[in-house]
Structures are given as C-alpha cells and as structure tokens.
C-alpha cells in the first residue's frame, strides 16, 4: 500500500476511484462536504434532506456526481457532532476502507482526518486512516487452495488535509503504516493453525524479521539451551508435546542514537502457546480450536517489534517469547507435580491448564539480565479476564503506578482499550501451597487477578506490567480471526518512550 497526502482546495477536481466524505447528523457540512456540495449543485444537501441520516457507522455511495471528478463519493455518517471523538473517527475510516476493499477500488482519498475532534490530533487521525486501510486489506488465505481474486486491489490511499498540515499527516501515515504492518503479522500468526504455526515457526519468523530489518537481531534457543538455563517450569509444560519448544529473543537496537545510550531497554514478553489443549486437565472439546490463538501474546511481540524496527525508534526494545504446546501425554505435567522455576521458586501444579503462567515465569526471570527500565508481558492468560472485561478492554496489571499510567495513556491515544485491574497483596494468599513455594492456581475467585499475582512473584527486580489479552486478541463466531490487538497500544507506548513521542 502506498500512502500519501493531498492538500488541494479544489477537491472536486481530484481524480480518484473513491472519495470519502464525512457528514454529521445535524446537517452542518464539513469543509470537504461543502466543497463537493457546491461543485455538484447541492447534491450532498439533497441526499441529507431525507434519504441519508448520517448515523455513525452508516454510509451511502453517490456515483458520477456532476462537477465532481471522483468516480464515486462515499458519504460516511459521523453521528452527532457533539459526540464526535477518536473512536467515531476510527470507525468512520474503517467503514470507508472496508467499502473500498469490497468495491475493489484501486485508489481512494479520505477527507475524514481533516475533521477536528477533541481527543485527537492530526497525527493520530492520519494514523487511524492508515491503520483502518491496512486492516481492511488483511485477508487470511494461507491455507486456502484457491487464492484467486483474494489479493485486495486497493493500492494507493491518500489523506486530504488543509494546506500546511502535510508534515503532521505524513508522520501519522508512516506510524499508521508501520502499526498496520505489525498488526497484519500478528493477525496472520494468530490465524495460522497450530500444525503450521509451531514454536519453530515463530522462531523462524523472528529470524526472518531480523533479516528484513537491520536494527533487529534474533536468537532462538532450543530444548538443550533452555535446559541449561534451568527453566524447569517452562519445560514442564512443553514436556507433554512432541513439538520442540523455542525460546526466542528478538532485539531492536537503534543505530547511533543518543537516547538509547542513556536508557535501559524496554522488554516485551509474549506467551507463545501454539496450542493449549489444557494438558492432563484437558479442556472441553467445544471451541478448543480457538486455543491455536494462545500464542497471540508472542504474535503481539513480533508484530510490535516489526513496527518498532520499521519506525526505527531510538530506544532499545527487546522481545522475549517462550513458545511450546500444552498437550496431554506420558511425560506431561500431572496435577500435584512440583516443578522448579528458573528463579529457584518451586511451583505446585494443581491444574495443568494454568500453563501460561508456568512458561511466562521463566521468561520473566530471564528478562532480569537486561536490567530493563520496564518489562511488559502480553498473554492470553485467563478465561476469567474475559468474564471480567469481555472483548472490549485488555486487562492491565502492574507493580508500578507510573508504568501503568503510561500504558493507560498509550491505550487511550491508540484507541486500543485497556482497564487497570487490582493487584492487592491480599489476593496473594490464594496461591499458598503446602507442598511448594507457590501453587499455580488460586481458586475460582478473581482468576485474572491471581494469575497476575502468580507472575508478580517473578517480577520483583523491575517495573512490570501484565496485559491479559484473552478477550481482545481474537474475535469468535462468523468474524473469527485475530484482531492484531494490543499492537497499537504497545507501539504508541514505545513511540511515547522514544524521542518521536
Ligand atoms: N489459554 C487459557 C486462557 C484462555 C481461556 C484464553 C479462554 C482465552 C479464552 C489459559 O491457559 C487457561 O487455560 N487458563 C485457565 C486457568 C485456570 C485453570 C485457573 C482458565 O482461564 O480457565
Ligand atoms: Mn490453559
Ligand atoms: Zn493457555
């Protein structure tokens, strides 16, 4: 996709397959709508009179308007002007982008970013346009025998802004493009089936990224090396499967940067269960296929690092992924087993399906060696988080208020919702065990919190945050597919921590 900006005042003379124009419910015309309305002898006002109500999320297509060079004008409802905010703008961009893809247009001009709204900047609006366009053109085809005609035709996407605003719009477009590419990678890895997207496959993806981007370096450790590190907890999960585990370290080290010299690295840790059957505490059959998505934390780390490298952010960012399968088998963990983590703490495994925390704890201990400024883990960790927050908010837990605030702010800026969850010491006692230092489950109450409490036992050496993405990483039902979340929030956080922020 090629992104560009356009600043002409004579919008009606712009030649394009699709011109996107926002309209508000109250009939007040935006600048773009006004230009097209005048050029077309009031065609926009006409249709707004009775036919088109401009409700948020709606659209109507006008073809061959007199006096207008665009082949089609797509009117996009923005709802009431007083309710217009970042999320409405993002949805409007996505309505337009989806229409353009479904109509097989080759190029499109959106004017939506030119409309100001309170909780956005021009940079963030242009970024939202690029992300919406990138997302609309994502299509999973990897395992379809007939890929004919599935390649989207949309190749050129342009954002119209006022004269003098091109620089900000361009900055937003390049951020959006990088985020969209990162999200596309995250979605593809999530959507790929478990028999293709194995731990080895994730390792190869990291190596490929390192070949593509000069600032990235990848290292993939196998069974033997993981053993030497003493990751007894991680390996106990992997033991039930025939598929070899992978411990992946992907580093972005900016070339010649002042900021990265002063600052300790920021570390992202991803849960990479390429399939979670539950192990001996096996899951029910219904919907178990969705446990191929149990590596979405790992996919988020890879997608985020891809974006960081594309933007060449001047901060050192290190991605760590602990990847394996959770399967029943003769060597699998059994309820009651006690394992020793890399930290030395022993863990009583009361439920083999609470495996995410068992692989993450060793990766979190490994992260200490980087003396990080902050560590953020991303994991499809608990069904309880889905019960608590549904599919809207990512659960955010942290042992550090400053880090939590930075992430919440990034989450708002990026329109990628997250909710600050509690981590009071009082929950910790639910993890008491008679046979080990800690139990791997804390009972039915506050399951998302006790999972975070478990991780907190391994993150005392640095400021740490945990993102539970069990409800936000993928959609079920007819829309089944990975969402690419929370790549936008994390990239925004990292941009904010770099000199570009
Ligand atoms: N991968 C699952 C969490 C999950 C469940 C994500 C459903 C998305 C949808 C995790 O490994 C798991 O199985 N967690 C258990 C923990 C329990 C045994 C304490 C859960 O949530 O049921
Ligand atoms: Mn599980
Ligand atoms: Zn899991």
């Amino acid at each position: 996709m090629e992104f560009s900006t356009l600043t002409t005042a004579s919008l009606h003379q712009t030649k394009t397959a699709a011109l996107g124009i926002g309209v508000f419910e109250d009939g007040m015309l935006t600048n773009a709508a006004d230009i097209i309305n005048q050029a077309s002898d009031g065609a926009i006002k006409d249709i707004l009179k009775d036919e088109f109500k401009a409700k948020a999320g709606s659209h109507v297509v006008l073809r061959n308007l007199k006096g207008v060079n665009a082949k089609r004008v797509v009117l996009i409802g923005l709802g009431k002007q007083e309710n217009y905010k970042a999320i409405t703008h993002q949805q409007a961009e996505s309505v337009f982008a989806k229409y353009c893809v479904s109509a097989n247009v080759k190029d499109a001009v959106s004017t939506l970013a030119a409309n100001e709204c309170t909780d956005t900047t021009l940079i963030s609006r242009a970024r939202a346009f690029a992300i919406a366009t990138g997302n609309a053109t994502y299509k999973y085809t990897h395992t379809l025998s007939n890929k004919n005609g599935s390649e989207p035709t949309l190749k050129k996407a342009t954002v119209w802004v006022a004269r003098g605003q091109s620089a900000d719009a361009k900055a937003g477009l390049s951020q959006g493009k990088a985020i969209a590419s990162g999200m596309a990678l995250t979605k593809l890895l999530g959507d790929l089936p478990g028999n293709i997207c194995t731990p080895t496959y994730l390792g190869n993806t990291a190596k490929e990224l390192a070949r593509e981007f000069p600032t990235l370096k990848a290292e993939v450790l196998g069974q033997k090396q993981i053993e030497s590190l003493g990751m007894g907890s991680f390996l106990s999960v992997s033991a039930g499967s025939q598929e070899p585990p992978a411990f992946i370290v992907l580093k972005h080290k900016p070339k010649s940067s002042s900021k990265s010299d002063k600052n300790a690295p920021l570390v992202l840790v991803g849960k990479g269960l390429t399939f979670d059957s539950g192990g001996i505490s096996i899951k029910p059959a219904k919907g178990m296929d969705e446990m191929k998505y149990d590596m979405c934390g790992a996919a988020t780390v890879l997608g985020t690092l891809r974006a960081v490298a594309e933007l060449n952010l001047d901060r050192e960012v290190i991605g760590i992924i602990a990847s394996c399968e959770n399967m029943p088998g003769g060597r699998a963990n059994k309820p009651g087993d006690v394992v020793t983590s890399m930290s030395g703490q022993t863990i009583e495994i009361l439920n083999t399906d609470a495996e995410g925390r068992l692989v993450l704890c060793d990766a979190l201990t490994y992260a200490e060696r980087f003396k990080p400024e902050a560590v953020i883990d991303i994991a499809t960790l608990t069904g309880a988080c889905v019960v608590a927050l549904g599919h809207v908010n990512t659960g955010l837990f942290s042992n550090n208020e400053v880090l939590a605030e930075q992430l919440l702010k990034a989450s708002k800026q990026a329109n990628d919702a997250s909710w600050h969850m509690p981590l009071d010491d009082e929950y910790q006692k639910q993890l008491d065990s008679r046979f080990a230092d800690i139990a791997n489950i804390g009972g039915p109450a506050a399951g998302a919190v006790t999972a975070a409490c478990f991780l907190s036992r391994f993150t005392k050496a640095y400021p740490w945050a945990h993102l539970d993405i069990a409800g936000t990483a993928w959609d079920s039902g007819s829309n089944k597919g990975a969402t690419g979340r929370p790549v936008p929030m994390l990239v925004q956080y990292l941009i904010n921590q770099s000199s570009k922020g």
Side-chain angles (χ1 to χ4, degrees):
M1 183 74 60
E2 184 197 324
F3 289 103
S4 55
T5 61
L6 174 74
T7 56
T8 177
S10 315
L11 192 57
H12 56 290
Q13 287 172 354
T14 299
K15 286 206 170 97
T16 175
L19 178 63
I21 306 269
V23 282
F24 288 106
E25 260 182 57
D26 58 14
M28 244 278 287
L29 292 188
T30 60
N31 282 346
D34 191 39
I35 297 172
I36 300 303
N37 186 55
Q38 289 195 24
S40 63
D41 269 348
I44 309 260
K45 283 247 170 193
D46 266 358
I47 194 152
L48 283 175
K49 244 183 247 147
D50 38 5
E51 253 183 275
F52 187 60
K53 299 280 179 263
K55 295 260 183 266
S58 65
H59 76 282
V60 66
V61 182
L62 309 174
R63 280 164 206 281
N64 308 318
L65 278 190
K66 191 167 67 77
V68 176
N69 281 348
K71 200 163 164 207
R72 326 164 169 71
V73 169
V74 185
L75 289 187
I76 302 140
L78 303 178
K80 293 205 168 68
Q81 197 156 6
E82 68 260 31
N83 299 336
Y84 191 59
K85 44 183 196 204
I87 185 86
T88 347
H89 168 255
Q90 189 187 45
Q91 280 160 0
E93 294 284 15
S94 130
V95 166
F96 180 54
K98 281 184 185 150
Y99 166 76
C100 289
V101 169
S102 70
N104 287 318
V105 306
K106 292 195 177 56
D107 75 296
V109 177
S110 170
T111 65
L112 295 166
N115 305 324
E116 298 206 0
C117 60
T118 47
D119 55 348
T120 65
T121 59
L122 180 59
I123 294 187
S124 76
R125 295 194 298 275
R127 183 172 61 214
F129 164 69
I131 294 175
T133 309
N135 281 342
T137 49
Y138 172 81
K139 193 153 183 228
Y140 179 85
T141 57
H142 199 275
T143 42
L144 303 180
S145 60
N146 182 5
K147 298 181 175 59
N148 282 347
S150 47
E151 175 78 358
T153 53
L154 186 59
K155 290 280 180 284
K156 194 169 180 293
T158 303
V159 56
W160 179 77
V161 289
R163 195 149 288 157
Q165 295 200 314
S166 249
D168 273 5
K170 285 200 171 98
L173 288 179
S174 63
Q175 287 179 8
K177 188 180 179 189
I179 292 167
S181 307
M183 289 173 85
L185 174 63
T186 301
K187 291 203 259 189
L188 173 62
L189 293 171
D191 286 340
L192 282 170
N195 61 329
I196 292 177
C197 185
T198 58
T200 308
Y201 190 97
L202 289 177
N204 288 340
T205 304
K207 287 181 194 160
E208 255 170 53
L209 285 173
R211 276 194 292 274
E212 188 177 347
F213 294 95
T215 63
L216 293 180
K217 273 210 174 61
E219 203 184 344
V220 181
L221 310 183
Q223 174 80 28
K224 284 268 140 55
Q225 292 155 298
I226 305 170
E227 272 169 23
S228 326
L229 285 165
M231 297 187 169
S233 184
F234 172 31
L235 287 176
S236 78
V237 175
S238 178
S241 167
Q242 303 284 320
E243 200 60 60
F247 191 84
I248 304 162
V249 183
L250 183 61
K251 289 186 193 170
H252 162 79
K253 214 179 170 96
K255 298 251 144 62
S256 65
S257 124
S258 52
K259 221 174 173 178
S260 72
D261 295 335
K262 295 199 296 274
N263 288 305
L266 300 163
V267 176
L268 306 177
V269 176
K271 170 179 174 182
L273 267 289
T274 56
F275 190 73
D276 177 14
S277 70
I280 298 298
S281 315
I282 199 157
K283 288 181 180 294
K286 189 170 179 286
M288 208 208 267
D289 65 289
E290 296 196 2
M291 282 301 117
K292 71 173 182 177
Y293 289 113
D294 212 19
M295 35 55 70
C296 281
T300 297
V301 170
L302 294 173
T304 301
L305 267 119
R306 193 195 188 286
V308 164
E310 186 172 324
L311 292 170
N312 195 14
L313 294 187
D314 57 359
R315 280 298 299 257
E316 186 176 355
V317 182
I318 301 175
I320 300 177
I321 289 165
S323 181
C324 67
E325 282 184 346
N326 186 22
M327 297 290 275
R331 295 193 179 279
N333 276 329
K334 304 175 291 297
D337 283 1
V338 174
V339 299
T340 304
S341 67
M342 184 182 178
S343 74
Q345 296 177 82
T346 58
I347 304 164
E348 184 184 17
I349 299 172
L350 292 173
N351 188 319
T352 67
D353 197 11
E355 86 299 336
R357 58 199 81 180
L358 296 175
V359 312
L360 285 172
C361 68
D362 284 342
L364 289 166
T365 301
Y366 184 89
E368 283 180 21
R369 69 183 55 202
F370 300 115
K371 303 204 170 18
E373 182 176 300
V375 176
I376 302 160
D377 77 70
I378 307 102
T380 48
L381 203 62
T382 64
C385 192
V386 189
V387 174
L389 299 175
H391 304 286
V392 177
N393 277 287
T394 292
L396 164 67
F397 303 80
S398 182
N399 64 6
N400 183 288
E401 281 303 310
V402 176
L403 178 59
E405 281 308 315
Q406 288 169 339
L407 284 166
L408 285 169
K409 180 181 165 208
S411 155
K412 288 204 178 71
Q413 287 173 301
N415 251 319
D416 185 2
S418 67
W419 192 260
H420 197 172
M421 298 282 281
L423 200 65
D424 308 53
D425 283 341
E426 283 81 352
Y427 292 103
Q428 293 281 355
K429 58 176 175 291
Q430 288 179 238
L431 297 171
D432 285 352
S433 159
R434 258 166 58 72
F435 304 105
D437 300 340
I438 183 173
N440 84 324
I441 56 170
V449 182
T450 53
C453 284
F454 181 97
L455 300 178
S456 76
R457 305 281 183 108
F458 301 84
T459 61
K460 297 200 193 301
Y462 43 69
W464 155 78
H466 157 59
L467 300 177
D468 194 330
I469 57 168
T472 50
W474 76 91
D475 288 327
S476 307
S478 59
N479 262 339
K480 192 187 279 189
T483 60
R485 291 177 65 185
V487 170
M489 160 184 182
L490 286 169
V491 176
Q492 183 67 51
Y493 163 78
L494 294 167
I495 289 174
N496 292 350
Q497 301 311 310
S498 78
S499 66
K500 290 192 182 163

